[in-house]
Amino acid sequence: MKSIIVGTAGHIDHGKTALVKALTGIDADRLEEEKRRGITIDLGFAHLELAAPDGELLRLGFVDVPGHERFVRNMLAGIGGIDLVLLVIAADEGIKPQTREHFDILQLLGVQRGITVLTKADAVDAETMEVVRLEVEEFLRGTFLDSTKSSIIPVSSLTGAGLPELRKALMATAAEAPPKNSQAIARLPIDRVFTMKGFGTVVTGTLVAGTIHREDELEVFPTGRRVRVRGVHVHGQPADQTVAGQRSALNLAGASTEDLARGMTLVPPMTFQTTRRVDVSLRLLASAARPLKDRARVHFHAYSMETVAEVGLRGKKQLAPGEDTFARLKLPQAVLLLPGDHFILRQYSPVVTIGGGVVLDAAPIPRMPEQDDFDKVLLDGEAAAILTIRIKRRQQAGISVRKLVTETGWTSAAIESLLGQLERNGTVVRAGEVFAIAPAINALKTNIADAIQAFQKSNPLVSGMNKEELRAHVAASPEVFAAVAAMLVRDRKIEYAGDLVRLPGYGVVMKDEEAESKKQIEGAFAAAGLQVPALREVIAGLKIDKMRAQKIVTLLLRDKVLIKVSDELVFHRSALEELRRQIVTYKSKSSRIDVATFKESTGVSRKYAIPLLEYLDRERVTRRVGDVREIL
Ligand SMILES: Nc1nc2c(ncn2[C@@H]2O[C@H](COP(=O)(O)OP(=O)(O)O)[C@@H](O)[C@H]2O)c(=O)[nH]1
Ligand SMILES: [Mg+2]
């Protein structure tokens, strides 16, 4: 059975409550004070079951709102969950201030359907009724209640005239209204809390999404308290479950009336997060008396919740009446809001409705670049596009399905099916439990490979880069890093060696033995000075095989620790530096030196003297002139 919520709207004393009673037989003015004073103060509720023309049964839940300007906040607590509205205008009074204010609110909330009811038809003559109808048609022109697409019906709740027409129109409109999604994640904004003899704590509200069963465990937002559903009542009847679009009463275990209040929300446990920052698209009413200034404080209403908010206008000092903007709202207390939630803003003082809009993101990232482009997609984009940019903004950190559920309010099934598409078309990549945008993963792959390459180049004798160091270097979450590294291992771009990561087959694989050999080689040459041993001899004395020893020598030569003077002769850098100093000192005695003197002063044999002098020539320390060297 389809369930639709019908709200009333309109100025005080225009006959809203009387109309609901005429339609349902239920007096929605339930409070003693309301009955005594004859005015609606708080929300009232009624229900009706009707058969649609095609025989389908429709269950209508009515939310009757107060029309008094002092009780607009109560009106707001009930109007957020409605599917269609009865805009009530008394034929003997016509359009009055709360007709306008309520209608502004309906438009800001994005209500799509309704019927305009000209009440008290019995109190005016036909001519007056015609004048009022013209006035109302003019007022509604171009709106969702434009008379070309929605009915304007004169009714007398007193005589019953017009009620059959109204019922018919109500049926047709309700049949057209799309049902709320009972497969979505359950959300019940609480609008009443009371105790009932024999039951204990009871809350009521319009179930705006999902299904709640008896015995379900729920979490109270924003307090986080856990409660159990002991009983469910729908339209006054006990039930096993309630589905989206129904006025629902829940008998709760685990909370007393002090723990609960209007404005709190019941949701499945561990699903959502509260927020104090929301990114929104907002509109200032054309009828607003003055521009909305950046940083202005306003009253904020969404579903049954109300708080104050500071408006941070995007890139503007002020917003003119009739204009739209993106904005970030700062809230003094943590609340539960989800993308797509509509809200109303009222001026701080005096309290009048000035605007409203829709929540785009309740998990905003401070100072995110391209925030405008992001918000545009959130405002108008398709689900896949929205998911893509929500993943994209997490860059290389990625985001899990669970977090995406929290951010969007969509079910994990819906998100996973979209992710499947995005994975298949190459937009996103799964990295373990998280999803990241393909270019972010590719960039990360490149960054990891580059980082290892650079590391191994500057640390040729270390066998790899520490995994954690590498992860910190590329700024990836542990999960994404592990997944991407695994991809690179699969592609043979990197390999693991314990806690180290390295390029496969690149550079020297330094084991302890090799590090030891490297020290030995370097040490042997450093100690030898100019009386260097033959390289062959040094290598022969090592524990490691010739091939690996040759590699170590190559690395020492590349790093200029050892210097090749001739094909057979290798010296330690320090020995050659010492030789240069000697030659420079000798220059104070003579500007020339011959081979014999060189041999004598350095103590090397002729076999070494010639290659060393030729090396010094090459280094432009000396220059050969005939049989002698000129010291430069
Ligand atoms: N003559 C006449 N009086 C009506 C009609 N509907 C409501 N009233 C009276 O108008 C007053 C206000 O009605 P009520 O339903 O409380 O208005 P609300 O403030 O919009 O809920 C009450 O005294 C009603 O009896 C109607 O169709 N004809
Ligand atoms: Mg009333």
Side-chain angles (χ1 to χ4, degrees):
M1 189 174 3
K2 187 159 131 183
S3 295
I4 294 292
I5 302 288
V6 181
T8 61
H11 199 72
I12 184 163
D13 263 349
H14 277 203
K16 295 182 289 301
T17 305
L19 183 66
V20 170
K21 187 163 184 197
L23 285 169
T24 66
I26 297 170
D27 183 3
D29 277 351
R30 59 200 156 76
L31 303 176
E32 189 275 326
E33 186 188 354
E34 290 176 323
K35 292 192 195 300
R36 182 163 40 80
R37 290 170 61 186
I39 67 160
T40 308
I41 294 168
D42 205 349
L43 300 171
F45 307 100
H47 50 87
L48 181 65
E49 268 167 30
L50 287 174
D54 64 2
E56 188 196 359
L57 259 192
L58 284 176
R59 179 175 269 181
L60 303 184
F62 286 79
V63 178
D64 182 36
V65 306
H68 196 292
E69 65 168 314
R70 277 187 44 216
F71 304 131
V72 173
R73 49 188 291 236
N74 289 343
M75 178 265 188
L76 287 169
I79 207 75
I82 71 168
D83 301 301
L84 73 91
V85 67
L86 296 177
L87 179 65
V88 172
I89 303 169
D92 60 347
E93 286 202 337
I95 293 158
K96 301 286 277 183
Q98 268 64 55
T99 317
R100 293 179 193 281
E101 185 169 13
H102 284 195
F103 191 57
D104 282 340
I105 288 168
L106 293 166
Q107 292 182 89
L108 290 167
L109 291 177
V111 175
Q112 299 285 329
R113 291 179 173 72
I115 298 163
T116 308
V117 187
L118 304 179
T119 49
K120 308 197 186 182
D122 56 282
V124 297
D125 56 28
E127 205 180 321
T128 312
M129 183 56 93
E130 213 34 50
V131 171
V132 172
R133 179 193 277 275
L134 288 175
E135 179 203 25
V136 169
E137 275 180 8
E138 184 54 38
F139 174 66
L140 299 174
R141 186 152 300 144
T143 71
F144 75 99
L145 289 183
D146 189 298
S147 63
T148 58
K149 48 182 180 183
S150 119
S151 324
I152 301 178
I153 302 175
V155 165
S156 168
S157 303
L158 209 65
T159 67
L163 278 177
E165 288 86 345
L166 175 57
R167 273 204 189 86
K168 236 173 107 186
L170 190 54
M171 197 60 80
T173 313
E176 268 171 27
K180 290 186 162 77
N181 186 355
S182 58
Q183 305 303 312
I185 297 169
R187 195 147 65 116
L188 185 86
I190 296 173
D191 52 36
R192 277 196 301 158
V193 179
F194 54 92
T195 49
M196 237 168 101
K197 253 210 163 94
F199 282 102
T201 308
V202 176
V203 297
T204 70
T206 300
L207 187 59
V208 294
T211 302
I212 293 176
H213 304 87
R214 203 148 42 102
E215 296 303 326
D216 275 355
E217 196 188 7
L218 297 174
E219 186 172 348
V220 183
F221 266 79
T223 60
R225 176 179 285 274
R226 295 292 179 83
V227 294
R228 183 172 57 80
V229 179
R230 249 198 319 232
V232 176
H233 271 67
V234 178
H235 294 175
Q237 299 297 314
D240 285 333
Q241 62 170 41
T242 176
V243 298
Q246 290 183 338
R247 287 293 311 165
S248 314
L250 304 181
N251 175 209
L252 298 179
S256 70
T257 51
E258 287 96 79
D259 305 319
L260 299 163
R262 172 176 286 181
M264 292 181 179
T265 306
L266 293 172
V267 288
M270 308 284 284
T271 307
F272 295 122
Q273 270 172 0
T274 55
T275 180
R276 285 165 187 263
R277 295 280 184 284
V278 251
D279 281 352
V280 302
S281 162
L282 78 80
R283 148 169 291 257
L284 189 64
L285 285 171
S287 58
R290 55 182 95 107
L292 179 65
K293 294 220 166 65
D294 185 34
R295 318 271 314 260
R297 271 164 73 83
V298 293
H299 295 279
F300 175 94
H301 298 258
Y303 289 122
S304 61
M305 178 256 290
E306 81 170 277
T307 179
V308 289
E310 185 188 298
V311 182
L313 299 173
R314 177 85 46 77
K316 289 191 176 56
K317 285 282 149 254
Q318 62 174 40
L319 184 68
E323 281 187 357
D324 295 284
T325 187
F326 290 131
R328 181 163 293 175
L329 305 183
K330 267 204 258 179
L331 308 169
Q333 72 206 56
V335 298
L336 173 62
L337 287 167
L338 290 176
D341 285 354
H342 283 84
F343 62 88
I344 295 294
L345 299 182
R346 306 192 80 209
Q347 187 168 276
Y348 199 73
S349 169
V351 186
V352 287
T353 303
I354 52 167
V358 65
V359 172
L360 300 176
D361 187 20
I365 292 176
R367 286 176 294 283
M368 186 175 75
E370 296 162 11
Q371 180 79 53
D372 266 13
D373 296 343
F374 182 73
D375 288 348
K376 274 182 202 131
V377 175
L378 292 186
L379 186 63
D380 300 324
E382 309 244 310
I386 289 174
L387 215 53
T388 304
I389 56 156
R390 283 189 178 278
I391 295 169
K392 185 178 171 200
R393 73 167 169 171
R394 301 293 167 176
Q395 298 172 341
Q396 301 192 349
I399 184 167
S400 66
V401 171
R402 223 177 87 93
K403 288 276 290 179
L404 283 169
V405 168
T406 305
E407 275 193 11
T408 58
W410 304 343
T411 61
S412 51
I415 289 171
E416 262 155 18
S417 129
L418 283 167
L419 286 172
Q421 287 171 28
L422 293 173
E423 235 187 316
R424 280 193 295 279
N425 71 22
T427 309
V428 304
V429 174
R430 182 191 293 267
E433 289 287 290
V434 308
F435 288 81
I437 203 87
I441 292 290
N442 291 337
L444 187 57
K445 280 183 180 173
T446 310
N447 290 351
I448 289 176
D450 286 356
I452 297 177
Q453 199 134 24
F455 178 87
Q456 298 208 309
K457 209 162 180 189
S458 48
N459 304 276
L461 299 175
V462 180
S463 76
M465 191 170 182
N466 178 274
K467 199 168 76 182
E468 268 309 296
E469 241 168 66
L470 176 59
R471 187 180 74 74
H473 181 83
V474 297
S477 67
E479 201 167 30
V480 172
F481 179 81
V484 172
M487 292 177 200
L488 288 168
V489 169
R490 251 196 327 273
D491 297 347
R492 300 189 183 287
K493 293 280 169 36
I494 62 169
E495 64 187 24
Y496 275 110
D499 264 354
L500 300 180
V501 188
R502 64 190 181 208
L503 300 176
Y506 174 91
V508 174
V509 180
M510 280 306 266
K511 303 219 176 70
D512 284 349
E513 236 174 35
E514 287 170 332
E516 184 60 33
S517 302
K518 181 191 163 218
K519 266 194 221 145
Q520 274 182 32
I521 296 171
E522 208 192 318
F525 281 94
L530 293 177
Q531 318 290 342
V532 287
L535 194 52
R536 263 179 287 111
E537 280 170 38
V538 176
I539 289 175
L542 298 173
K543 279 189 223 140
I544 56 171
D545 65 64
K546 255 166 107 177
M547 273 270 288
R548 285 195 285 166
Q550 193 54 55
K551 255 189 190 168
I552 294 172
V553 171
T554 306
L555 289 166
L556 287 168
L557 287 170
R558 196 196 65 191
D559 291 348
K560 301 203 168 41
V561 173
L562 297 183
I563 290 160
K564 200 174 227 175
V565 164
S566 73
D567 278 344
E568 273 88 25
L569 282 179
V570 171
F571 292 82
H572 197 272
R573 178 173 56 203
S574 60
L576 293 176
E577 274 161 9
E578 177 54 26
L579 176 63
R580 279 170 185 247
R581 271 195 298 277
Q582 274 185 27
I583 300 294
V584 171
T585 315
Y586 184 83
K587 199 183 171 186
S588 58
K589 275 197 259 172
S590 162
S591 65
R592 294 184 163 209
I593 187 165
D594 59 22
V595 176
T597 320
F598 180 78
K599 275 168 57 187
E600 203 175 287
S601 58
T602 57
V604 297
S605 67
R606 184 176 180 85
K607 200 176 103 191
Y608 285 10
I610 301 300
L612 280 171
L613 280 166
E614 281 168 1
Y615 165 77
L616 290 171
D617 291 345
R618 283 198 302 277
E619 291 292 306
R620 301 192 193 290
V621 177
T622 56
R623 185 169 62 208
R624 186 170 177 181
V625 184
D627 276 345
V628 295
R629 254 77 184 181
E630 191 184 339
I631 302 169
L632 297 170

